[in-house]
């Protein structure tokens, strides 16, 4: 029986003013602030392929953004009549969108009578949508608010709100509190700054796989799809396309299918997920009864499973295989809602609720298609508790710090070897080493280290470098600290280790928690 890991098993870290900067060949490295740029430091050679990033508070909404020119400003606009635009919208997007356009126009443009009719029809449509799709208005703060469901600590006040590595190159997108997006690339001195009138309250960003320059942005009004041009004229040539549907706002999560052809967006104020075909600017809603609005979604690395977490205790795993119609298995957690989730190798799903303290569970989703034995009770899918996140206090002399409690973010590196955990009330990031066996079973978990910043710094958000492949002995975790410092934390192993597919057969017992994990299609 595999033991449930506790945070007490971590070694007590250093309490001096040096920050944790690397984990190299089973050795933890610290560095003083003034020595971070010293090329003689043992960790420096592992960071040369990553762009240097630093965000200072005084660069927010400064004159540098005034150089950003929207692509639409480079061309003369074409002014069609309002009736021609209404007819075009009706042809392309349907009668409902045409009514909304007419209601939003000025009365003198379409005559007062038609404007009165359009506004009344829109009011009726909004009432119907609110009763069928939309939940109550989101609170501005506290439980259920946007700041509560996003995966950034102190989202409202954080200098850096989210960041995302490109899946195929050393390119990092960083969102700051002023709702600007900055693109940092190794070897390019120019940092493009993306801004848009609809780009407010950004919650999530995601690079499009198998495409070099497209970035999806979840913001208050909908989804922005940026096409980014890098180089000297990047600010003037980059342009954005806004995707939105009625009552589908604010958008708190955007996730691309691994093939890059579909994009999923969701909102805690909407019970529907929208599956976008961005090339056609069309979205198909997916709605299921129960659970209220949807906080976030996650695709599996193979694209056959889609995870969606609701604002209540229900979460769903969608089977998106091409051989059959999409269908969802509904699961429940006993308390709260699912706060974080991520897919690993072999369709292994890790998730944790927003309880304090939380527990990370593993849910195996891979099917053994070659096993012809009759099914037994032992074959029923159940959530296995892996990591107990109860608070632990480390002390040294008169100094002490607490680690654990409510979880805010969880990241699993692309190779499936390392898991990083960020807490609501802890100044340290917990790093663990994972091993996944056959049929989605996590067979080994070991504590690696607790990553701390400089005095006064707390971690806000993080993301693993996505280009790391199986067999590589270097993994990089990027952490955004409250000071604006963005740290690349290298994890260097003694030799390349493959954990995606293990050739050994493991037969381990597990304590299982049955969360009413019935395979109910709804």
């Amino acid at each position: 029986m595999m033991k449930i890991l506790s945070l007490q098993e971590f070694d007590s870290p250093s309490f001096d003013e040096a920050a944790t900067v690397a984990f190299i060949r089973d050795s933890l490295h610290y560095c003083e602030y003034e020595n971070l740029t010293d090329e003689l430091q043992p960790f420096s050679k592992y960071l040369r392929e990553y762009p240097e990033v630093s965000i200072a508070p005084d660069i927010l909404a400064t004159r540098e953004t005034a150089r950003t020119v929207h692509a639409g400003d480079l061309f003369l606009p074409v002014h069609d009549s309002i009736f021609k635009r209404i007819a075009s919208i009706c042809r392309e997007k349907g009668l409902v969108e045409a009514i909304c356009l007419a209601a939003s126009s000025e009365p003198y443009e379409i005559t007062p009578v038609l404007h009165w009719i359009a506004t009344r029809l829109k009011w009726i449509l909004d009432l119907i949508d609110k009763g069928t799709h939309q939940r109550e208005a989101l609170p501005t703060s506290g439980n259920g608010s946007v700041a509560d469901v996003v995966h950034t600590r102190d989202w409202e006040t954080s200098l850096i709100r989210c960041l995302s590595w490109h899946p195929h190159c050393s390119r990092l997108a960083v969102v700051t509190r002023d709702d600007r997006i900055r693109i940092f690339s190794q070897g390019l001195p120019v940092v493009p700054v993306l801004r848009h009138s609809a780009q407010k309250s950004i919650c999530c960003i995601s690079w499009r796989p198998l495409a070099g320059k497209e970035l999806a942005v979840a913001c208050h009004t909908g989804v922005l799809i940026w096409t980014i041009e890098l180089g000297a004229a990047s600010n003037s040539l980059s342009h954005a396309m806004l995707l939105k549907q009625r009552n589908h706002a604010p958008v708190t999560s955007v996730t691309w299918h691994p093939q890059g052809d579909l994009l999923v967006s969701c909102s805690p104020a909407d019970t529907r997920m929208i599956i976008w075909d961005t090339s056609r600017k069309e979205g198909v809603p997916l709605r299921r009864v129960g659970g209220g609005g949807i906080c976030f979604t996650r695709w599996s690395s193979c694209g056959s499973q889609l995870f969606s977490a609701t604002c209540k205790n229900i979460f769903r795993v969608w089977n998106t295989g091409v051989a059959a119609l999409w269908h969802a298995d509904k699961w429940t957690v006993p308390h709260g809602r699912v706060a974080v989730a991520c897919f690993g190798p072999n369709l292994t799903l890790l998730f944790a609720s927003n309880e304090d303290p939380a527990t990370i569970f593993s849910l195996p989703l891979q099917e053994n298609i070659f096993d012809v034995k009759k099914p037994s009770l032992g074959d029923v899918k159940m959530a296995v508790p892996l990591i107990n996140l109860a608070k632990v206090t480390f002390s040294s002399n008169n100094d002490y710090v607490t680690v654990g409690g409510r979880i805010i973010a969880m990241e699993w590196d692309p190779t499936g070897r390392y898991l990083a955990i960020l807490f609501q009330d802890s100044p340290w990031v917990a790093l663990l080493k994972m091993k996944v066996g056959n049929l989605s079973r996590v067979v080994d978990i070991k504590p690696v280290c607790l990553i701390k910043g400089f005095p006064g710094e707390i971690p806000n958000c993080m993301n693993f470098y996505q280009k790391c492949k199986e067999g590589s002995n270097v993994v990089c975790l990027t952490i955004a600290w409250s000071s604006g410092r963005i740290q690349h934390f290298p994890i260097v192993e003694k030799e390349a280790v493959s954990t995606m597919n293990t050739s050994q057969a493991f037969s381990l017992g597990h304590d299982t928690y049955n969360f009413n994990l019935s395979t109910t299609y709804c």
Side-chain angles (χ1 to χ4, degrees):
M1 181 171 60
M2 190 171 71
K3 178 184 176 183
I4 300 176
L5 183 72
S6 168
L7 297 178
Q8 292 178 341
E9 299 182 36
F10 279 88
D11 294 334
S12 180
S14 170
F15 278 81
D16 57 21
E17 295 188 354
T20 318
V21 292
F23 187 79
I24 303 174
R25 299 181 181 89
D26 298 331
S27 178
L28 198 57
H29 291 254
Y30 296 88
C31 184
E32 301 287 346
Y33 184 80
E34 56 270 16
N35 296 326
L36 278 179
T37 58
D38 185 358
E39 287 292 329
L40 298 179
Q41 292 290 334
F43 61 89
S44 296
K45 65 179 180 179
Y46 300 106
L47 301 181
R48 289 167 185 163
E49 65 175 299
Y50 308 118
E52 294 185 9
V53 185
S54 182
I55 303 294
D58 57 359
I59 74 169
L60 301 186
T62 56
R63 290 184 178 273
E64 65 158 318
T65 59
R67 300 196 307 267
T68 307
V69 182
H70 193 274
D73 298 334
L74 303 177
F75 304 95
L76 294 177
V78 177
H79 297 285
D80 291 328
S81 68
I82 184 63
F83 293 103
K84 187 173 181 180
R85 287 158 52 199
I86 290 175
S88 177
I89 289 294
C90 184
R91 211 169 35 244
E92 295 177 2
K93 298 186 177 181
L95 180 61
V96 172
E97 293 298 326
I99 293 173
C100 293
L101 176 61
S104 63
S105 61
E106 296 295 333
Y108 67 85
E109 292 182 311
I110 60 171
T111 73
V113 175
L114 289 178
H115 184 266
W116 184 89
I117 294 174
T119 53
R120 296 306 182 273
L121 288 175
K122 184 178 183 298
W123 178 80
I124 294 173
L125 291 171
D126 287 342
L127 203 62
I128 294 173
D129 265 4
K130 186 174 182 180
T132 57
H133 299 310
Q134 204 172 20
R135 53 169 291 192
E136 301 84 8
L138 295 180
T140 56
S141 62
N143 188 33
S145 64
V146 171
D148 181 57
V149 302
V150 297
H151 297 136
T152 301
R153 178 174 172 176
D154 303 329
W155 176 82
E156 292 178 317
T157 59
S158 174
L159 186 61
I160 299 173
R161 286 191 162 173
C162 50
L163 49 83
S164 177
W165 276 108
H166 196 284
H168 310 304
C169 60
S170 299
R171 186 172 299 159
L172 181 67
V174 178
V175 177
T176 49
R177 192 173 58 232
D178 58 357
D179 290 314
R180 265 68 171 177
I181 303 175
R182 292 166 172 83
I183 311 298
F184 297 88
S185 299
Q186 180 67 7
L188 288 180
V190 177
V191 178
V193 181
L194 309 178
R195 64 186 181 96
H196 193 278
S197 58
Q199 193 167 278
K200 304 295 182 183
S201 300
I202 299 175
C203 296
C204 176
I205 54 176
S206 179
W207 288 100
R208 184 174 186 174
L210 307 181
K213 304 175 183 178
E214 291 188 43
L215 181 71
V217 182
C219 48
H220 186 269
T221 55
V223 179
L224 280 169
I225 307 295
W226 277 99
T227 301
I228 304 164
E229 296 296 333
L230 301 176
S234 58
N235 283 347
S236 60
L237 295 181
S238 300
H239 62 277
M241 170 180 64
L242 179 62
L243 304 175
K244 62 179 181 178
Q245 287 207 4
R246 297 173 61 250
N247 297 324
H248 187 69
V251 177
T252 55
S253 175
V254 284
T255 314
W256 288 99
H257 186 278
Q259 295 300 318
D261 53 346
L262 299 176
L263 177 71
V264 181
S265 67
C266 63
S267 169
D270 192 355
T271 61
R272 305 166 299 172
M273 292 187 301
I274 307 297
I275 312 298
W276 297 97
D277 182 347
T278 58
S279 61
R280 303 175 61 181
K281 302 181 184 180
E282 295 180 353
V284 176
L286 287 181
R287 180 176 182 266
R288 287 295 181 270
V289 178
I294 300 176
C295 298
F296 69 94
T297 59
R298 291 288 182 270
W299 282 101
S300 64
S301 57
C302 62
S304 64
Q305 305 284 340
L306 174 63
F307 174 93
S308 63
T310 69
C311 294
K312 296 182 180 179
N313 67 331
I314 295 174
F315 68 93
R316 294 180 175 87
V317 179
W318 289 79
N319 188 328
T320 62
V322 295
L325 296 176
W326 287 23
H327 62 275
D329 296 342
K330 183 173 73 173
W331 315 76
T332 59
V333 294
H335 304 289
R337 61 171 176 83
V338 174
V340 294
C342 52
F343 279 99
N346 303 333
L347 288 178
T348 307
L349 174 66
L350 301 184
F351 67 93
S353 70
N354 62 342
E355 294 179 281
D356 185 4
T359 300
I360 295 179
F361 292 86
S362 170
L363 182 60
L365 298 174
Q366 190 179 51
E367 301 288 351
N368 186 2
I369 62 174
F370 298 105
D371 191 352
V372 296
K373 297 185 301 181
K374 293 183 178 180
S376 62
L377 292 177
D379 296 329
V380 177
K381 294 177 182 177
M382 292 186 177
V384 179
L386 295 180
I387 308 168
N388 180 9
L389 300 180
K391 292 182 179 179
V392 175
T393 300
F394 296 95
S395 61
S396 175
N397 298 328
N398 294 327
D399 295 329
Y400 67 92
V401 69
T402 300
V403 180
R406 181 182 174 184
I407 186 171
I408 291 296
M410 181 170 64
E411 294 283 336
W412 205 348
D413 89 282
T415 68
R417 302 200 300 266
Y418 293 96
L419 184 74
I421 303 171
L422 190 152
F423 303 97
Q424 175 62 49
D425 301 315
S426 173
W428 293 341
V429 174
L431 183 67
L432 304 103
K433 189 169 184 178
M434 311 286 290
K435 189 173 185 179
V436 180
N438 295 326
L439 297 181
S440 306
R441 300 291 181 182
V442 176
V443 296
D444 191 25
I445 310 173
K446 294 179 180 178
V448 176
C449 65
L450 296 171
I451 305 172
K452 73 182 185 76
F454 293 107
E457 288 185 334
I458 60 172
N460 291 125
C461 54
M462 58 187 180
N463 188 228
F464 274 103
Y465 181 54
Q466 299 298 308
K467 196 180 176 183
C468 183
K469 301 299 182 182
E470 178 185 2
S472 172
N473 67 332
V474 181
V475 175
C476 180
L477 173 65
T478 298
I479 305 171
W481 297 91
S482 56
S483 64
R485 182 174 68 95
I486 294 183
Q487 175 187 8
H488 303 310
F489 185 88
I491 309 163
V492 184
E493 296 181 344
K494 292 182 179 180
E495 58 185 12
V497 178
S498 175
T499 60
M500 296 289 288
N501 294 297
T502 55
S503 58
Q504 295 179 336
F506 296 89
S507 178
L508 296 176
H510 298 272
D511 290 331
T512 58
Y513 284 21
N514 190 347
F515 281 179
N516 298 326
L517 302 185
S518 56
T519 55
T520 303
Y521 300 134
C522 62

